[in-house]
Amino acid sequence: MAYLDVISLETAKNYLRVDDTADDASITRMIKSALSYVERETNIKVYQRDLTYFMQDGVAYVYDHPIDSVVTPADYDDDETVRKQNYSVYHYGTKSRDLTLTVGYATASEVPNELIDVALEIVDILYYQHETGKS
């Protein structure tokens, strides 16, 4: 899955009330930018991917979510994970090492509508600000 699976070009064009194809490349770029911005600001990954975090002295604080599974280390015991309101704490021995997690929504239908609405509004602002030449 990718950003365009979460908000398709067709969905964005309908939202913008655009019928022609002249700006398809720009709108596609704006969709990617808007969803990337939403991810950075919320730490919510809108599509599933494996991300690697560094465990300093066997501990990693992970703010990204939703977390689906631990990829590596393979023998990690999820019972040792402490889930807080805004982050998760992973413990694995005392050594510094990499921790790879599968993070994000598995399907576009799982992404909260509020995140999609915000991203579409950002696309709208980018598109019409671009069209009018205002900065």
Side-chain angles (χ1 to χ4, degrees), residues 22-23 26-27 29-30 122-135:
D23 291 333
S26 293
I27 295 169
R29 180 181 43 77
M30 292 173 193
I122 292 169
V123 170
D124 183 90
I125 291 166
L126 292 171
Y127 184 76
Y128 286 109
Q129 191 171 28
H130 168 74
E131 287 289 306
T132 60
K134 293 181 182 176
S135 52

Side-chain angles (χ1 to χ4, degrees), residues 14 20 36 47 58 64 73 90 96 98 102 105 107 109 127 132 135:
N14 286 339
D20 60 48
S36 175
Y47 71 88
D64 296 330
Y90 288 81
S96 295
D98 287 342
T102 302
Y105 292 102
T107 64
S109 63
Y127 184 76
T132 60
S135 52

Side-chain angles (χ1 to χ4, degrees), residues 51-88:
L51 296 176
T52 301
Y53 305 88
F54 183 69
M55 298 183 87
Q56 179 70 36
D57 298 324
V59 177
Y61 295 88
V62 178
Y63 293 86
D64 296 330
H65 57 282
I67 298 169
D68 184 53
S69 61
V70 176
V71 178
T72 59
D75 60 344
Y76 180 80
D77 181 5
D78 199 43
D79 290 340
E80 297 181 27
T81 302
V82 178
R83 305 213 190 275
K84 304 279 188 173
Q85 184 174 354
N86 295 322
Y87 63 95
S88 297

Side-chain angles (χ1 to χ4, degrees), residues 15-32:
Y15 187 83
L16 296 170
R17 296 181 178 89
V18 173
D19 294 329
D20 60 48
T21 60
D23 291 333
D24 283 3
S26 293
I27 295 169
T28 297
R29 180 181 43 77
M30 292 173 193
I31 292 167
K32 293 175 182 178

